[in-house]
Amino acid sequence: MDMSNLPNRVVLDYAQECQAHAFGFARVIGMKGRADHKGRWNKDLSLHEFIGENAEAVGAEIAVAQFFGLKAFTPTLNTFKDEPDVGGRLEVKWTKYINGSLIINKTDRDDDVAVLVVGRSPVYALAGWIPIKMARVDRYYHRLQDNYWITQRDLFPINDLRSSSYGSSI
């Protein structure tokens, strides 16, 4: 996948990739996790693939922190949905699909702001953002999965987040 033309790209260095992998591994092991739990749509991942997905998600969090210049960022462990992924209330949603949608689940907190990150390590792109409360409307509801899918065209531009009323969440 060629991501060289995407705006808002962030490229992780080797140390950041290693950090993402270590935290992805620790998250899965810490929850004694498997990809087959009831809250997951794709239950067919091996343990190694599940760890890989978690590592990519952590990489996306690191990319968001880097994009917003948060130098002291450290990924969280075992906070599940009790704390934001980045900053004061940023919930990072990752997909490997460049044209993928942002997915909001029942466990996401209404007061957070969701940021969609696309791509694969080491290259990620921040596709946009939306307040979670604003995403939970009928037009985005995906009844087969019982969650909300927001296409990239319906997201706010990532460069507008800091200057918005939600910018204090960074």
Side-chain angles (χ1 to χ4, degrees), residues 103-157:
I103 299 173
I104 300 295
N105 296 300
K106 289 181 178 179
T107 55
D108 291 315
R109 294 175 308 280
D110 271 346
D111 292 335
D112 284 350
V113 174
V115 175
L116 177 61
V117 178
V118 301
R120 292 176 56 195
S121 189
V123 182
Y124 297 97
L126 283 68
W129 65 279
I130 190 169
I132 289 176
K133 190 177 282 187
M134 192 181 290
R136 286 194 171 122
V137 294
D138 288 343
R139 88 181 246 212
Y140 300 131
Y141 186 67
H142 191 295
R143 58 187 170 88
L144 293 177
Q145 292 190 16
D146 193 26
N147 54 23
Y148 300 85
W149 286 50
I150 300 86
T151 63
Q152 290 183 32
R153 73 176 172 273
D154 289 328
L155 298 175
F156 296 105

Short mmCIF file of all heavy atoms in Angstrom, two decimals, residues 103-157:
data_model
loop_
_atom_site.label_atom_id
_atom_site.label_comp_id
_atom_site.label_asym_id
_atom_site.label_seq_id
_atom_site.Cartn_x
_atom_site.Cartn_y
_atom_site.Cartn_z
N ILE A 103 -14.81 3.28 13.62
CA ILE A 103 -15.85 2.47 14.25
C ILE A 103 -15.94 2.81 15.73
O ILE A 103 -14.94 2.77 16.45
CB ILE A 103 -15.57 0.97 14.06
CG1 ILE A 103 -15.54 0.63 12.56
CG2 ILE A 103 -16.63 0.13 14.78
CD1 ILE A 103 -15.10 -0.79 12.25
N ILE A 104 -17.15 3.16 16.15
CA ILE A 104 -17.43 3.48 17.55
C ILE A 104 -18.24 2.34 18.15
O ILE A 104 -19.24 1.90 17.57
CB ILE A 104 -18.23 4.81 17.67
CG1 ILE A 104 -17.44 5.97 17.07
CG2 ILE A 104 -18.64 5.07 19.11
CD1 ILE A 104 -16.17 6.31 17.79
N ASN A 105 -17.79 1.86 19.30
CA ASN A 105 -18.45 0.76 19.98
C ASN A 105 -19.19 1.24 21.22
O ASN A 105 -18.99 2.37 21.67
CB ASN A 105 -17.41 -0.30 20.38
CG ASN A 105 -16.76 -0.91 19.16
OD1 ASN A 105 -17.42 -1.50 18.33
ND2 ASN A 105 -15.45 -0.75 19.06
N LYS A 106 -20.00 0.36 21.79
CA LYS A 106 -20.75 0.69 23.00
C LYS A 106 -19.85 1.06 24.16
O LYS A 106 -20.22 1.83 25.02
CB LYS A 106 -21.63 -0.49 23.39
CG LYS A 106 -22.79 -0.72 22.48
CD LYS A 106 -23.62 -1.90 22.95
CE LYS A 106 -24.81 -2.09 22.05
NZ LYS A 106 -25.63 -3.23 22.47
N THR A 107 -18.65 0.49 24.20
CA THR A 107 -17.75 0.72 25.32
C THR A 107 -16.99 2.04 25.24
O THR A 107 -16.33 2.42 26.20
CB THR A 107 -16.73 -0.43 25.43
OG1 THR A 107 -16.05 -0.56 24.18
CG2 THR A 107 -17.42 -1.74 25.78
N ASP A 108 -17.08 2.74 24.11
CA ASP A 108 -16.40 4.03 23.98
C ASP A 108 -17.13 5.09 24.79
O ASP A 108 -18.36 5.11 24.85
CB ASP A 108 -16.31 4.44 22.50
CG ASP A 108 -15.37 3.54 21.73
OD1 ASP A 108 -14.27 3.24 22.24
OD2 ASP A 108 -15.74 3.11 20.62
N ARG A 109 -16.36 5.98 25.41
CA ARG A 109 -16.92 7.01 26.28
C ARG A 109 -17.48 8.19 25.46
O ARG A 109 -16.81 8.70 24.58
CB ARG A 109 -15.85 7.51 27.25
CG ARG A 109 -15.39 6.45 28.25
CD ARG A 109 -14.23 6.94 29.11
NE ARG A 109 -13.12 7.47 28.33
CZ ARG A 109 -12.18 6.72 27.73
NH1 ARG A 109 -12.22 5.43 27.82
NH2 ARG A 109 -11.23 7.29 27.05
N ASP A 110 -18.69 8.61 25.80
CA ASP A 110 -19.36 9.71 25.09
C ASP A 110 -18.57 11.00 25.08
O ASP A 110 -18.66 11.78 24.14
CB ASP A 110 -20.73 9.99 25.71
CG ASP A 110 -21.83 9.16 25.09
OD1 ASP A 110 -21.62 8.55 24.03
OD2 ASP A 110 -22.92 9.11 25.69
N ASP A 111 -17.81 11.29 26.13
CA ASP A 111 -17.13 12.57 26.24
C ASP A 111 -15.80 12.63 25.51
O ASP A 111 -15.16 13.68 25.47
CB ASP A 111 -16.91 12.94 27.71
CG ASP A 111 -18.22 13.23 28.41
OD1 ASP A 111 -19.20 13.60 27.74
OD2 ASP A 111 -18.28 13.07 29.65
N ASP A 112 -15.38 11.51 24.93
CA ASP A 112 -14.11 11.47 24.20
C ASP A 112 -14.26 11.93 22.76
O ASP A 112 -15.37 12.01 22.23
CB ASP A 112 -13.52 10.06 24.21
CG ASP A 112 -12.91 9.69 25.55
OD1 ASP A 112 -12.76 10.57 26.41
OD2 ASP A 112 -12.58 8.51 25.73
N VAL A 113 -13.13 12.20 22.15
CA VAL A 113 -13.04 12.53 20.74
C VAL A 113 -12.31 11.37 20.07
O VAL A 113 -11.23 10.98 20.49
CB VAL A 113 -12.27 13.84 20.53
CG1 VAL A 113 -12.03 14.11 19.06
CG2 VAL A 113 -13.01 15.00 21.18
N ALA A 114 -12.92 10.81 19.03
CA ALA A 114 -12.30 9.69 18.31
C ALA A 114 -11.47 10.22 17.15
O ALA A 114 -11.92 11.09 16.40
CB ALA A 114 -13.36 8.73 17.80
N VAL A 115 -10.26 9.68 17.01
CA VAL A 115 -9.36 10.03 15.92
C VAL A 115 -9.11 8.77 15.10
O VAL A 115 -8.72 7.74 15.66
CB VAL A 115 -8.02 10.57 16.46
CG1 VAL A 115 -7.03 10.82 15.33
CG2 VAL A 115 -8.24 11.84 17.27
N LEU A 116 -9.35 8.84 13.80
CA LEU A 116 -9.09 7.69 12.92
C LEU A 116 -7.68 7.77 12.36
O LEU A 116 -7.28 8.77 11.78
CB LEU A 116 -10.10 7.64 11.77
CG LEU A 116 -9.88 6.51 10.76
CD1 LEU A 116 -9.98 5.13 11.43
CD2 LEU A 116 -10.86 6.64 9.60
N VAL A 117 -6.96 6.66 12.55
CA VAL A 117 -5.61 6.51 12.00
C VAL A 117 -5.63 5.31 11.06
O VAL A 117 -6.14 4.25 11.42
CB VAL A 117 -4.58 6.30 13.12
CG1 VAL A 117 -3.19 6.11 12.55
CG2 VAL A 117 -4.60 7.47 14.10
N VAL A 118 -5.07 5.50 9.87
CA VAL A 118 -5.03 4.43 8.88
C VAL A 118 -3.58 4.08 8.56
O VAL A 118 -2.68 4.89 8.77
CB VAL A 118 -5.80 4.81 7.59
CG1 VAL A 118 -7.26 5.11 7.90
CG2 VAL A 118 -5.15 5.99 6.89
N GLY A 119 -3.37 2.87 8.04
CA GLY A 119 -2.05 2.48 7.60
C GLY A 119 -1.48 1.34 8.41
O GLY A 119 -2.17 0.71 9.21
N ARG A 120 -0.21 1.10 8.17
CA ARG A 120 0.51 0.03 8.87
C ARG A 120 1.90 0.51 9.21
O ARG A 120 2.51 1.26 8.46
CB ARG A 120 0.59 -1.21 7.99
CG ARG A 120 -0.78 -1.85 7.78
CD ARG A 120 -0.78 -3.00 6.84
NE ARG A 120 0.17 -4.01 7.29
CZ ARG A 120 0.60 -5.00 6.53
NH1 ARG A 120 0.19 -5.10 5.29
NH2 ARG A 120 1.45 -5.88 7.00
N SER A 121 2.40 0.03 10.33
CA SER A 121 3.71 0.43 10.80
C SER A 121 4.76 0.20 9.71
O SER A 121 4.73 -0.82 9.03
CB SER A 121 4.06 -0.38 12.04
OG SER A 121 5.22 0.10 12.64
N PRO A 122 5.63 1.17 9.53
CA PRO A 122 5.87 2.36 10.34
C PRO A 122 5.13 3.60 9.86
O PRO A 122 5.30 4.66 10.45
CB PRO A 122 7.38 2.56 10.18
CG PRO A 122 7.66 2.14 8.77
CD PRO A 122 6.72 0.97 8.54
N VAL A 123 4.30 3.49 8.80
CA VAL A 123 3.67 4.69 8.22
C VAL A 123 2.17 4.70 8.52
O VAL A 123 1.44 3.79 8.13
CB VAL A 123 3.89 4.75 6.69
CG1 VAL A 123 3.27 6.03 6.13
CG2 VAL A 123 5.36 4.67 6.35
N TYR A 124 1.76 5.74 9.22
CA TYR A 124 0.35 5.94 9.55
C TYR A 124 -0.09 7.31 9.02
O TYR A 124 0.74 8.19 8.82
CB TYR A 124 0.14 5.92 11.07
CG TYR A 124 0.49 4.61 11.73
CD1 TYR A 124 1.72 4.42 12.33
CD2 TYR A 124 -0.43 3.57 11.74
CE1 TYR A 124 2.04 3.22 12.94
CE2 TYR A 124 -0.12 2.36 12.35
CZ TYR A 124 1.12 2.19 12.95
OH TYR A 124 1.42 1.00 13.55
N ALA A 125 -1.38 7.47 8.83
CA ALA A 125 -1.94 8.76 8.44
C ALA A 125 -3.16 9.04 9.32
O ALA A 125 -3.98 8.14 9.54
CB ALA A 125 -2.32 8.79 6.97
N LEU A 126 -3.26 10.26 9.81
CA LEU A 126 -4.41 10.66 10.61
C LEU A 126 -5.49 11.14 9.66
O LEU A 126 -5.32 12.15 8.97
CB LEU A 126 -4.02 11.75 11.60
CG LEU A 126 -3.25 11.26 12.84
CD1 LEU A 126 -1.86 10.75 12.51
CD2 LEU A 126 -3.19 12.34 13.88
N ALA A 127 -6.59 10.39 9.59
CA ALA A 127 -7.62 10.62 8.59
C ALA A 127 -8.66 11.65 9.01
O ALA A 127 -9.31 12.25 8.15
CB ALA A 127 -8.32 9.30 8.24
N GLY A 128 -8.87 11.83 10.30
CA GLY A 128 -9.87 12.79 10.76
C GLY A 128 -10.33 12.46 12.16
O GLY A 128 -9.82 11.55 12.80
N TRP A 129 -11.34 13.21 12.61
CA TRP A 129 -11.82 13.06 13.98
C TRP A 129 -13.30 13.40 14.07
O TRP A 129 -13.86 14.05 13.19
CB TRP A 129 -11.02 13.95 14.94
CG TRP A 129 -11.22 15.44 14.68
CD1 TRP A 129 -10.59 16.18 13.73
CD2 TRP A 129 -12.11 16.32 15.35
NE1 TRP A 129 -11.02 17.48 13.79
CE2 TRP A 129 -11.96 17.59 14.78
CE3 TRP A 129 -13.02 16.16 16.40
CZ2 TRP A 129 -12.70 18.69 15.21
CZ3 TRP A 129 -13.74 17.27 16.83
CH2 TRP A 129 -13.57 18.51 16.24
N ILE A 130 -13.90 12.93 15.17
CA ILE A 130 -15.30 13.25 15.46
C ILE A 130 -15.55 13.03 16.95
O ILE A 130 -15.01 12.08 17.53
CB ILE A 130 -16.28 12.38 14.61
CG1 ILE A 130 -17.71 12.88 14.74
CG2 ILE A 130 -16.15 10.91 14.97
CD1 ILE A 130 -18.67 12.24 13.72
N PRO A 131 -16.32 13.90 17.59
CA PRO A 131 -16.70 13.63 18.98
C PRO A 131 -17.55 12.35 19.02
O PRO A 131 -18.44 12.15 18.17
CB PRO A 131 -17.54 14.85 19.37
CG PRO A 131 -17.11 15.92 18.42
CD PRO A 131 -16.80 15.21 17.14
N ILE A 132 -17.29 11.48 19.96
CA ILE A 132 -17.99 10.20 20.00
C ILE A 132 -19.50 10.40 20.15
O ILE A 132 -20.29 9.72 19.50
CB ILE A 132 -17.41 9.30 21.12
CG1 ILE A 132 -16.01 8.85 20.67
CG2 ILE A 132 -18.32 8.12 21.41
CD1 ILE A 132 -15.23 8.05 21.68
N LYS A 133 -19.88 11.35 20.95
CA LYS A 133 -21.32 11.60 21.12
C LYS A 133 -21.98 11.97 19.79
O LYS A 133 -23.10 11.57 19.49
CB LYS A 133 -21.54 12.72 22.14
CG LYS A 133 -22.98 12.88 22.57
CD LYS A 133 -23.12 13.95 23.63
CE LYS A 133 -22.68 13.37 24.96
NZ LYS A 133 -22.93 14.26 26.10
N MET A 134 -21.28 12.71 18.95
CA MET A 134 -21.78 13.11 17.64
C MET A 134 -21.83 11.92 16.67
O MET A 134 -22.62 11.90 15.73
CB MET A 134 -20.89 14.22 17.08
CG MET A 134 -21.47 14.92 15.87
SD MET A 134 -20.35 16.21 15.25
CE MET A 134 -20.48 17.42 16.55
N ALA A 135 -21.01 10.92 16.91
CA ALA A 135 -20.95 9.76 16.02
C ALA A 135 -22.08 8.76 16.30
O ALA A 135 -22.41 7.94 15.44
CB ALA A 135 -19.61 9.05 16.18
N ARG A 136 -22.66 8.84 17.47
CA ARG A 136 -23.70 7.89 17.85
C ARG A 136 -25.07 8.39 17.42
O ARG A 136 -25.92 8.74 18.25
CB ARG A 136 -23.67 7.66 19.36
CG ARG A 136 -22.51 6.81 19.80
CD ARG A 136 -22.70 6.33 21.22
NE ARG A 136 -21.69 5.35 21.53
CZ ARG A 136 -20.82 5.46 22.52
NH1 ARG A 136 -20.84 6.52 23.30
NH2 ARG A 136 -19.95 4.51 22.75
N VAL A 137 -25.27 8.38 16.12
CA VAL A 137 -26.56 8.77 15.54
C VAL A 137 -27.00 7.68 14.57
O VAL A 137 -26.18 6.90 14.06
CB VAL A 137 -26.49 10.15 14.84
CG1 VAL A 137 -26.21 11.26 15.85
CG2 VAL A 137 -25.45 10.15 13.74
N ASP A 138 -28.28 7.65 14.28
CA ASP A 138 -28.86 6.58 13.45
C ASP A 138 -28.18 6.44 12.09
O ASP A 138 -28.01 5.34 11.59
CB ASP A 138 -30.35 6.82 13.24
CG ASP A 138 -31.16 6.55 14.49
OD1 ASP A 138 -30.64 5.88 15.42
OD2 ASP A 138 -32.32 7.00 14.56
N ARG A 139 -27.79 7.54 11.50
CA ARG A 139 -27.24 7.46 10.13
C ARG A 139 -25.93 6.68 10.07
O ARG A 139 -25.57 6.16 9.03
CB ARG A 139 -27.09 8.85 9.52
CG ARG A 139 -25.81 9.55 9.77
CD ARG A 139 -25.82 10.92 9.13
NE ARG A 139 -24.85 10.99 8.07
CZ ARG A 139 -24.20 12.08 7.75
NH1 ARG A 139 -24.43 13.20 8.39
NH2 ARG A 139 -23.33 12.07 6.78
N TYR A 140 -25.20 6.57 11.17
CA TYR A 140 -23.94 5.83 11.20
C TYR A 140 -24.09 4.42 11.79
O TYR A 140 -23.14 3.65 11.80
CB TYR A 140 -22.88 6.59 12.03
CG TYR A 140 -22.56 7.96 11.50
CD1 TYR A 140 -22.53 9.05 12.36
CD2 TYR A 140 -22.26 8.17 10.16
CE1 TYR A 140 -22.22 10.32 11.90
CE2 TYR A 140 -21.95 9.44 9.69
CZ TYR A 140 -21.93 10.50 10.56
OH TYR A 140 -21.62 11.76 10.11
N TYR A 141 -25.28 4.10 12.28
CA TYR A 141 -25.47 2.83 12.97
C TYR A 141 -25.35 1.65 12.00
O TYR A 141 -25.95 1.63 10.93
CB TYR A 141 -26.83 2.79 13.67
CG TYR A 141 -27.02 1.55 14.50
CD1 TYR A 141 -26.26 1.34 15.65
CD2 TYR A 141 -27.95 0.58 14.15
CE1 TYR A 141 -26.41 0.21 16.42
CE2 TYR A 141 -28.11 -0.56 14.92
CZ TYR A 141 -27.34 -0.73 16.04
OH TYR A 141 -27.49 -1.87 16.80
N HIS A 142 -24.55 0.68 12.40
CA HIS A 142 -24.32 -0.54 11.62
C HIS A 142 -25.01 -1.68 12.37
O HIS A 142 -24.45 -2.25 13.31
CB HIS A 142 -22.81 -0.79 11.50
CG HIS A 142 -22.42 -1.83 10.54
ND1 HIS A 142 -22.75 -3.16 10.69
CD2 HIS A 142 -21.70 -1.76 9.39
CE1 HIS A 142 -22.25 -3.87 9.69
NE2 HIS A 142 -21.61 -3.04 8.88
N ARG A 143 -26.24 -2.00 11.97
CA ARG A 143 -27.03 -2.93 12.78
C ARG A 143 -26.49 -4.34 12.79
O ARG A 143 -26.69 -5.07 13.76
CB ARG A 143 -28.49 -2.89 12.37
CG ARG A 143 -28.79 -3.20 10.98
CD ARG A 143 -30.28 -2.95 10.64
NE ARG A 143 -30.42 -3.07 9.21
CZ ARG A 143 -30.66 -4.21 8.60
NH1 ARG A 143 -30.86 -5.30 9.29
NH2 ARG A 143 -30.72 -4.26 7.29
N LEU A 144 -25.76 -4.76 11.77
CA LEU A 144 -25.19 -6.11 11.77
C LEU A 144 -24.10 -6.28 12.83
O LEU A 144 -23.88 -7.37 13.35
CB LEU A 144 -24.62 -6.47 10.40
CG LEU A 144 -25.63 -6.62 9.27
CD1 LEU A 144 -24.93 -6.90 7.95
CD2 LEU A 144 -26.63 -7.73 9.59
N GLN A 145 -23.41 -5.19 13.14
CA GLN A 145 -22.34 -5.26 14.13
C GLN A 145 -22.69 -4.54 15.43
O GLN A 145 -21.90 -4.55 16.37
CB GLN A 145 -21.04 -4.70 13.55
CG GLN A 145 -20.48 -5.57 12.46
CD GLN A 145 -19.08 -5.16 12.06
OE1 GLN A 145 -18.39 -4.42 12.75
NE2 GLN A 145 -18.65 -5.65 10.93
N ASP A 146 -23.84 -3.89 15.47
CA ASP A 146 -24.28 -3.17 16.66
C ASP A 146 -23.26 -2.14 17.12
O ASP A 146 -22.89 -2.06 18.29
CB ASP A 146 -24.61 -4.16 17.79
CG ASP A 146 -25.38 -3.50 18.92
OD1 ASP A 146 -26.08 -2.48 18.66
OD2 ASP A 146 -25.27 -3.98 20.07
N ASN A 147 -22.77 -1.37 16.15
CA ASN A 147 -21.85 -0.27 16.44
C ASN A 147 -22.05 0.82 15.40
O ASN A 147 -23.01 0.77 14.64
CB ASN A 147 -20.39 -0.76 16.51
CG ASN A 147 -19.95 -1.51 15.28
OD1 ASN A 147 -20.51 -1.35 14.19
ND2 ASN A 147 -18.94 -2.34 15.41
N TYR A 148 -21.18 1.80 15.37
CA TYR A 148 -21.33 2.95 14.48
C TYR A 148 -20.12 3.05 13.56
O TYR A 148 -18.99 3.00 14.03
CB TYR A 148 -21.49 4.23 15.30
CG TYR A 148 -22.70 4.18 16.19
CD1 TYR A 148 -22.63 3.58 17.45
CD2 TYR A 148 -23.91 4.71 15.78
CE1 TYR A 148 -23.74 3.51 18.27
CE2 TYR A 148 -25.04 4.64 16.60
CZ TYR A 148 -24.94 4.04 17.83
OH TYR A 148 -26.05 3.96 18.64
N TRP A 149 -20.37 3.18 12.26
CA TRP A 149 -19.32 3.30 11.26
C TRP A 149 -19.40 4.69 10.65
O TRP A 149 -20.41 5.05 10.05
CB TRP A 149 -19.50 2.27 10.15
CG TRP A 149 -19.16 0.87 10.54
CD1 TRP A 149 -19.58 0.19 11.65
CD2 TRP A 149 -18.33 -0.03 9.82
NE1 TRP A 149 -19.07 -1.07 11.66
CE2 TRP A 149 -18.29 -1.24 10.54
CE3 TRP A 149 -17.62 0.08 8.63
CZ2 TRP A 149 -17.57 -2.34 10.10
CZ3 TRP A 149 -16.91 -1.03 8.20
CH2 TRP A 149 -16.88 -2.21 8.93
N ILE A 150 -18.31 5.45 10.78
CA ILE A 150 -18.26 6.81 10.24
C ILE A 150 -17.22 6.82 9.13
O ILE A 150 -16.05 6.53 9.36
CB ILE A 150 -17.92 7.84 11.33
CG1 ILE A 150 -18.98 7.81 12.46
CG2 ILE A 150 -17.87 9.24 10.73
CD1 ILE A 150 -18.72 6.81 13.52
N THR A 151 -17.66 7.13 7.91
CA THR A 151 -16.73 7.17 6.78
C THR A 151 -15.80 8.37 6.92
O THR A 151 -16.12 9.35 7.60
CB THR A 151 -17.46 7.26 5.44
OG1 THR A 151 -18.20 8.48 5.40
CG2 THR A 151 -18.40 6.07 5.24
N GLN A 152 -14.69 8.31 6.25
CA GLN A 152 -13.71 9.41 6.33
C GLN A 152 -14.28 10.72 5.83
O GLN A 152 -13.94 11.78 6.35
CB GLN A 152 -12.44 9.03 5.57
CG GLN A 152 -11.66 7.93 6.27
CD GLN A 152 -10.37 7.59 5.58
OE1 GLN A 152 -9.72 8.45 4.98
NE2 GLN A 152 -9.96 6.33 5.68
N ARG A 153 -15.16 10.67 4.86
CA ARG A 153 -15.72 11.94 4.34
C ARG A 153 -16.62 12.63 5.37
O ARG A 153 -16.90 13.82 5.26
CB ARG A 153 -16.45 11.70 3.02
CG ARG A 153 -17.77 11.00 3.14
CD ARG A 153 -18.49 10.88 1.79
NE ARG A 153 -19.65 10.05 1.93
CZ ARG A 153 -19.67 8.72 1.82
NH1 ARG A 153 -18.55 8.08 1.54
NH2 ARG A 153 -20.78 8.05 1.96
N ASP A 154 -17.07 11.88 6.40
CA ASP A 154 -17.90 12.46 7.44
C ASP A 154 -17.11 12.89 8.67
O ASP A 154 -17.69 13.35 9.66
CB ASP A 154 -18.98 11.45 7.87
CG ASP A 154 -20.04 11.26 6.79
OD1 ASP A 154 -20.32 12.22 6.04
OD2 ASP A 154 -20.58 10.15 6.69
N LEU A 155 -15.79 12.74 8.63
CA LEU A 155 -14.94 13.16 9.75
C LEU A 155 -14.49 14.60 9.57
O LEU A 155 -14.41 15.10 8.45
CB LEU A 155 -13.71 12.26 9.84
CG LEU A 155 -13.97 10.78 10.11
CD1 LEU A 155 -12.66 10.01 10.06
CD2 LEU A 155 -14.68 10.58 11.44
N PHE A 156 -14.18 15.25 10.67
CA PHE A 156 -13.60 16.58 10.61
C PHE A 156 -12.11 16.46 10.28
O PHE A 156 -11.46 15.50 10.68
CB PHE A 156 -13.76 17.30 11.95
CG PHE A 156 -15.19 17.54 12.34
CD1 PHE A 156 -15.79 16.78 13.33
CD2 PHE A 156 -15.94 18.53 11.71
CE1 PHE A 156 -17.12 17.00 13.69
CE2 PHE A 156 -17.26 18.75 12.06
CZ PHE A 156 -17.85 17.98 13.05
N PRO A 157 -11.56 17.44 9.55
CA PRO A 157 -10.13 17.39 9.22
C PRO A 157 -9.28 17.41 10.50
O PRO A 157 -9.54 18.19 11.42
CB PRO A 157 -9.89 18.67 8.40
CG PRO A 157 -11.24 19.07 7.91
CD PRO A 157 -12.22 18.61 8.96
#
